């Protein structure tokens, strides 16, 4: 930033660029604004002839209706459980794999790397059918991981976020100098200790990026929740809870917007917590 | 989950010969890779094998519950598919839709990223906040709010358009015609996926050394020329990754299409391959046919991304 300020190169039309920037920001933010606004508008104003971009009589009626509706809070909690477990485990597993693939020297490493790359390109949604049968038979052995249970969603999302996570983290792990490992070895640290107490904190920015992507992936999932959780509606996740309010002819827009707002808040909070790191991370992730 | 590594008694004084270190590394690597590897084998590799297998059988509901014997069909499901007019229509729509979404989010994401590097903080912060908000909005929530904005009766867009004098737009249904439906879904997809490209490209552009850009300016290169001939080639590896990710994401979009077209539209006019496969398998209980569709999708995506990676590989020095 300092360099830019000191530099004397003229930047023609910067003000115009800045105005364009703010206009784009307004356009991009508008649907989110409209969603939140409509969630607070009384029903009469939502379905009015001339919708106004503000409301003088905000109401919580839609939120009350959504939250008192059948099991919305429970679905919300289910979504949180799935997303949090997926994030935690994918951090752990992708870190272990990335360490093995970057810092260890063994036969078949290149083949494994290529497989991780190819795995990212498999359209996982195409695997819905075999996964449905697989999870159904898993349920015979370990019910918590079978269809109709949250475990099945966790396993599926975990497997799907891993290839990209491993690939991304690889760059971060590789960027930690080898000398650091040798120095810690001389100081008497075991490889295990080096891995967890030195390497793990050092790749934190990469872990941030992985957690964001894994969280969004698990939180947004509609297809697998719809397919796997068929009869045990107690274990349904959030997207299906909102679907209830949507009927092509007679949609309860207030409830849909309130539910959508509630669904967006956790992701937004998560983003705000990590946003400082996110930007630097996306660039660094792929340089390794 | 992590088993303890074999204890190392002495630090090797002399760099050991290659093979013992390799063997030790191999053992450790096996332990480190085991949890992720087992998961990927079980949830990715085995299902792919199963998918191909199911696609060769007449696999309907009776077979799925074990009430009827499996009948091997060979390539029958595939020939059925290729002879089905609807399949070709859906394929064309999927490819067109994917192309529009990929090009749209890349162009918008890169363009806005370039713009963001040229403005002061007061203009950049709102842009990033807005992009993060769009990115954070779940696919389901985004689909609903876009549907609501374009709703025939209560949507803001129709009201504004008719207020501006386009009276024909009052109560216009955006989700009736196939083109306008796909256009609406594509707009939503681009809206929520361009921030990933933008943030990635912004970070990449900021990573280009200042001196290089400055030298170009001093040599009299225009802003446009500098961006096009220096910055973009330098961030090409990043652009490749953003492109591949966009292709992968947009090719298999399910939620947006399913929600915004209410399950693929009347008589399945607004289907993409993914939703088509889902409907065949789980609504039509034609698992064999659905699996064949899944195989076709996988092969298509692998070849599209494979071709792209190959075309980029030489120039980007990637992989």
């Amino acid at each position: 930033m300092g360099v830019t300020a000191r530099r004397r190169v003229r930047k023609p039309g910067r003000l115009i660029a800045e105005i364009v920037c703010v206009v784009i920001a307004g356009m991009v933010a508008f649907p989110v604004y409209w969603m939140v606004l409509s969630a607070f508008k009384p029903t009469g104003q939502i379905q009015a002839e001339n919708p106004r971009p503000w409301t003088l009589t905000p109401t919580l009626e839609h939120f009350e209706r959504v939250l008192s509706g059948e099991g919305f809070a429970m679905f919300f909690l289910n979504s949180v459980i799935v997303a949090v477990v997926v994030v935690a485990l994918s951090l752990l597993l992708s870190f272990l794999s990335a360490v093995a693939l970057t810092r260890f020297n063994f036969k078949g490493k290149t083949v494994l790397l290529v497989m991780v790359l190819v795995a990212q390109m498999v359209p996982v949604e195409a695997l819905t059918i075999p996964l449905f049968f697989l999870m159904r038979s898993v349920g015979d052995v370990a019910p918590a991981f079978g269809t109709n249970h949250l475990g099945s969603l966790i396993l599926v999302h975990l497997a799907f976020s891993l290839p990209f996570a491993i690939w991304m983290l690889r760059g971060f792990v590789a960027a930690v100098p080898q000398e650091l490992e040798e120095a810690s070895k001389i100081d008497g640290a075991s490889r295990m200790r080096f891995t967890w107490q030195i390497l793990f904190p050092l790749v934190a920015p990469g872990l941030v990026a992985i957690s964001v992507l894994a969280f969004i992936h698990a939180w947004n999932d509609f297809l697998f929740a719809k397919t796997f959780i068929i009869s045990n509606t107690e274990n349904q996740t959030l997207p299906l809870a909102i679907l209830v309010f949507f009927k092509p002819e007679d949609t309860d827009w207030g409830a849909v917007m309130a539910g959508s707002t509630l669904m967006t808040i956790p992701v937004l909070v998560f983003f705000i917590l990590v946003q400082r790191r996110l930007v630097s991370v996306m660039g660094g992730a792929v340089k390794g | 989950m992590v088993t303890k590594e074999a204890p190392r008694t002495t630090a090797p004084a002399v760099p050991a010969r290659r093979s013992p270190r390799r063997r030790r590394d191999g053992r450790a690597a096996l332990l480190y890779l085991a949890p992720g590897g087992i998961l990927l084998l079980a949830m990715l590799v085995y299902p792919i094998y199963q998918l191909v297998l199911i696609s060769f059988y007449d696999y309907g509901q009776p077979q799925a519950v074990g009430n009827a014997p499996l009948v091997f069909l060979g390539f029958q499901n595939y020939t059925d598919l290729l002879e089905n007019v609807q399949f070709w229509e859906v394929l064309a729509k999927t490819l067109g839709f994917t192309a529009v979404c990929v090009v749209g989010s890349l162009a918008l994401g890169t363009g806005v990223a370039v713009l963001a590097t040229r403005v002061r903080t007061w203009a950049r912060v709102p842009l990033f906040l807005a992009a993060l908000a769009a990115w954070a909005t779940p696919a389901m929530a985004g689909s609903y709010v876009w549907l609501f904005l374009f709703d025939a009766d209560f949507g803001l867009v129709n009201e504004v358009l008719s207020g501006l004098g386009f009276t024909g737009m009052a109560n216009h249904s955006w989700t009736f015609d196939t083109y306008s439906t796909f256009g609406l879904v594509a707009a939503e997809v681009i809206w929520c996926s361009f921030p990933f490209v933008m943030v990635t490209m912004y970070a990449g552009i900021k990573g280009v050394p200042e001196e290089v850009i400055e030298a170009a300016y001093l040599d009299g290169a225009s802003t446009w020329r500098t961006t096009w001939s220096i910055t973009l080639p330098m961030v090409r590896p990043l652009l490749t990754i953003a492109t591949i990710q966009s292709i992968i994401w947009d090719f298999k979009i399910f939620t947006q299409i399913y929600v915004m077209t209410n399950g693929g539209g009347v008589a399945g006019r607004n289907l993409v391959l993914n939703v088509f496969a889902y409907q065949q398998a789980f609504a039509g209980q034609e698992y064999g046919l659905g699996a064949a569709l899944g195989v076709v999708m996988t092969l298509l995506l692998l070849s599209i991304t494979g071709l792209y990676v190959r075309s980029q590989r030489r120039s980007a020095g990637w992989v």
Side-chain angles (χ1 to χ4, degrees):
Chain A
M1 211 45 40
V3 183
T4 321
R6 254 181 281 124
R7 217 170 63 191
R8 281 290 174 168
V9 179
R10 267 198 61 211
K11 294 201 167 175
R14 188 167 68 177
L15 193 64
I16 297 173
E18 282 164 345
I19 292 166
V20 172
C21 223
V22 175
V23 170
I24 293 176
M27 285 162 62
V28 169
F30 189 76
V32 179
Y33 169 73
W34 196 252
M35 175 175 79
V36 178
L37 176 77
S38 304
F40 284 104
K41 269 183 178 178
T43 307
Q45 285 180 28
I46 294 179
Q47 310 192 341
E49 273 292 292
N50 295 302
R52 292 215 180 100
W54 67 82
T55 179
L56 298 173
T57 49
T59 169
L60 290 175
E61 57 166 304
H62 307 304
F63 289 99
E64 281 164 11
R65 197 161 64 253
V66 166
L67 288 171
S68 65
E70 267 177 76
F72 189 91
M74 193 168 61
F75 298 149
F76 196 91
L77 187 67
N78 287 343
S79 273
V80 171
I81 292 171
V82 170
V84 168
V85 175
V86 167
V87 167
L89 287 180
S90 61
L91 288 183
L92 182 72
L93 298 191
S94 62
F95 176 66
L96 285 174
S97 307
V99 168
L101 287 173
T102 30
R103 307 196 79 88
F104 295 174
N105 182 21
F106 58 94
K107 240 169 92 179
K109 196 160 100 169
T110 320
V111 178
L112 274 179
L113 272 174
V114 172
M115 278 168 69
V116 171
L117 190 66
V118 174
Q120 286 177 59
M121 295 172 193
V122 174
V124 289
E125 282 79 356
L127 301 179
T128 315
I129 299 166
L131 280 169
F132 171 69
F133 292 133
L134 175 68
M135 298 329 276
R136 208 177 49 180
S137 22
V138 166
D140 297 337
V141 190
F145 294 101
T147 45
N148 282 326
H149 290 274
L150 295 181
S152 62
L153 297 178
I154 291 173
L155 285 181
V156 168
H157 296 320
L158 190 56
F160 294 167
S161 59
L162 266 188
F164 189 53
I166 294 171
W167 192 256
M168 201 165 196
L169 208 51
R170 204 181 63 97
F172 287 89
V173 177
V176 175
Q178 194 67 40
E179 293 81 49
L180 203 61
E181 184 164 358
E182 269 140 33
S184 79
K185 206 185 285 174
I186 290 166
D187 289 347
S190 67
R191 183 187 246 173
M192 183 70 83
R193 195 164 161 166
F194 169 80
T195 304
W196 290 106
Q197 294 196 342
I198 301 170
L199 202 54
F200 192 73
L202 278 177
V203 298
L207 299 172
V208 166
I210 288 167
S211 60
V212 168
L213 295 169
F215 188 87
I216 293 185
H217 191 108
W219 188 261
N220 284 359
D221 166 63
F222 169 60
L223 174 60
F224 287 105
K226 188 175 164 56
T227 314
F228 288 1
I229 315 288
I230 342 144
S231 53
N232 194 351
T233 44
E234 270 185 19
N235 286 332
Q236 211 47 278
T237 50
L238 211 43
L240 282 119
I242 300 177
L243 200 62
V244 173
F245 297 105
F246 182 78
K247 299 172 202 82
E249 296 311 318
D250 181 31
T251 299
D252 182 351
W253 282 115
V256 171
M257 290 299 118
S260 298
T261 304
L262 287 172
M263 189 179 179
T264 308
I265 290 171
V267 198
L268 211 52
V269 169
F270 193 57
F271 259 96
I272 290 166
L273 288 178
V274 301
Q275 50 94 11
R276 274 166 194 278
R277 287 207 153 149
L278 194 63
V279 175
S280 61
V281 159
M282 302 311 275
V286 278
K287 284 187 186 148
Chain B
M1 194 153 291
V2 188
T3 329
K4 239 180 100 187
E5 197 195 345
R8 189 170 302 162
T9 42
T10 48
V14 189
R17 276 194 296 118
R18 207 172 142 78
S19 56
R21 172 171 166 100
R22 259 205 158 192
R23 206 173 306 140
R24 200 170 51 228
D25 262 15
R27 263 205 309 269
L30 203 62
L31 289 177
Y32 277 56
L33 287 170
I38 291 169
L39 194 76
L40 288 179
L41 281 178
M43 309 298 292
L44 209 61
V45 179
Y46 176 71
I48 292 175
Y49 161 74
Q50 281 280 310
L51 184 76
V52 177
L53 203 63
I54 294 173
S55 76
F56 288 126
Y57 283 92
D58 177 18
Y59 209 97
Q61 193 56 20
Q63 287 82 7
V65 293
N67 282 342
L70 279 175
V71 182
F72 183 77
L73 290 180
F75 284 95
Q76 186 67 47
N77 282 324
Y78 292 92
T79 44
D80 282 355
L81 208 57
L82 300 185
E83 281 166 8
N84 185 348
V85 184
Q86 197 186 7
F87 165 74
W88 294 102
E89 281 171 11
V90 173
L91 176 65
K93 283 170 188 165
T94 309
L95 292 177
F97 175 74
T98 308
V100 169
C101 291
V102 170
V103 171
S105 46
L106 282 173
L108 191 63
T110 311
V112 176
V114 171
L115 189 69
T117 56
R118 303 190 179 284
V119 299
R120 281 169 289 185
T121 316
W122 69 266
R124 194 170 50 238
V125 168
L127 184 67
F128 270 87
L129 287 179
L132 282 188
W135 195 2
T137 307
M140 173 75 73
S143 303
Y144 279 132
V145 72
W146 277 76
L147 266 187
F148 183 43
L149 280 167
F150 285 83
D151 186 72
D153 301 318
F154 311 115
L156 179 71
V157 173
N158 280 354
E159 298 294 339
V160 168
L161 285 176
S162 59
L164 288 174
F166 300 95
T167 43
M169 297 310 285
N171 301 331
H172 170 77
S173 171
W174 293 86
T175 51
F176 183 74
D177 178 66
T178 297
Y179 280 108
S180 87
T181 308
F182 273 108
L184 183 59
V185 181
E188 197 278 336
V189 169
I190 293 169
W191 172 72
C192 68
S193 58
F194 93 90
F196 170 78
V197 181
M198 178 192 130
V199 169
T200 308
M201 295 312 291
Y202 178 79
I205 294 169
K206 293 304 272 186
V208 173
E210 282 279 330
E211 304 83 53
V212 182
I213 307 283
E214 203 160 341
Y217 273 123
L218 292 177
D219 286 346
S222 66
T223 306
W224 174 256
R225 185 74 207 277
T226 317
T227 304
W228 199 250
S229 311
I230 295 176
T231 313
L232 282 183
M234 288 187 86
V235 296
R236 194 138 166 200
L238 275 176
L239 199 56
T240 304
I241 292 198
T243 311
I244 293 174
Q245 287 301 326
S246 299
I247 294 174
I248 295 172
W249 285 334
D250 296 343
F251 185 75
K252 59 197 178 76
I253 276 176
F254 181 85
T255 310
Q256 282 95 335
I257 291 277
Y258 193 91
V259 169
M260 295 180 81
T261 67
N262 195 33
V266 181
R269 281 185 315 184
N270 304 326
L271 287 169
V272 287
L273 282 178
N274 203 355
V275 185
F276 189 45
Y278 177 85
Q279 303 285 31
Q280 291 291 328
F282 293 100
Q285 300 188 330
E286 290 279 357
Y287 297 107
L289 204 62
L293 257 167
V295 172
V296 171
M297 263 184 81
T298 309
L299 292 177
L300 266 171
L301 188 56
L302 284 178
S303 48
I304 296 172
T305 44
L307 279 178
Y308 187 78
V309 171
R310 225 180 62 171
S311 74
Q312 294 288 304
R313 198 173 150 183
R314 214 176 335 131
S315 45
W318 191 62
V319 179

